[in-house]
Amino acid sequence: MTQPANALFASAGGAAGVHNIVEAFYRRVEADPILRPVYPEDLGPGKAKLELFLVQWLGGPPDYSQKYGHPRLRMRHFPFVIAEVHAGRWLRHMREAWRECGVPEDVQAVVFERFGTLAHHMVNDKDDVPRTPLEDARLT
Ligand code: HEM
């Protein structure tokens, strides 16, 4: 049987579930001496954007794209110098956040297969990419 497009969003606990996951993830980022310096001083705006993005990415309402346009995630990460070590820690913190929020392991398995590929795709420390801040740019 095929799953409805928003099945993952529902399994993650809907909007409230995603909110809790993002909070749990950012708590870990904040306490991580290697990952924290990659992020700007004010974590608030990025946290809100990650939450909107994840809602959409899991099949919930597409508010992220309505506000910011196409995600273009790799390009949006260019201003931040991301090495393999950061991708590994990002994934570990995200995984622990999903566990803390009690999302079933079989759902996590599907989600983290996709996160794994995406996270390694964000690595850009050896690339000659523009580092100019993009902030709230609407991308097409
Ligand atoms: C590989 C390790 C990663 C690191 C070190 C990292 C780091 C960052 C940083 C520093 C920001 C900017 C936050 C701000 O402006 O306050 C950001 C934004 C964001 N990240 Fe990541 N990220 C990683 C992987 C990912 C992955 C795998 C995803 C998606 C599943 C993701 C989704 C986002 C989103 C949606 C934003 C907001 C983009 C925007 O609209 O400006 N990141 N990330």
Side-chain angles (χ1 to χ4, degrees), residues 59-77:
D63 295 349
Y64 178 89
S65 283
Q66 264 160 28
K67 274 181 102 159
Y68 303 114
H70 196 292
R72 304 223 176 280
L73 281 185
R74 188 169 148 76
M75 191 194 284
R76 286 196 204 259
H77 284 77

Side-chain angles (χ1 to χ4, degrees), residues 58-106:
L58 293 165
D63 295 349
Y64 178 89
S65 283
Q66 264 160 28
K67 274 181 102 159
Y68 303 114
H70 196 292
R72 304 223 176 280
L73 281 185
R74 188 169 148 76
M75 191 194 284
R76 286 196 204 259
H77 284 77
F78 282 169
F80 310 96
V81 181
I82 301 175
E84 278 295 340
V85 67
H86 302 122
R89 294 174 91 96
W90 189 101
L91 280 168
R92 190 179 339 136
H93 296 322
M94 191 57 96
R95 186 77 184 210
E96 284 173 2
W98 282 67
R99 284 214 179 97
E100 182 185 310
C101 293
V103 179
E105 284 289 335
D106 59 330

Side-chain angles (χ1 to χ4, degrees), residues 74 82-85 87 118-127:
R74 188 169 148 76
I82 301 175
E84 278 295 340
V85 67
L118 253 182
H120 293 288
H121 184 58
M122 293 313 149
V123 173
N124 62 27
D125 62 324
K126 303 211 171 57
D127 302 326

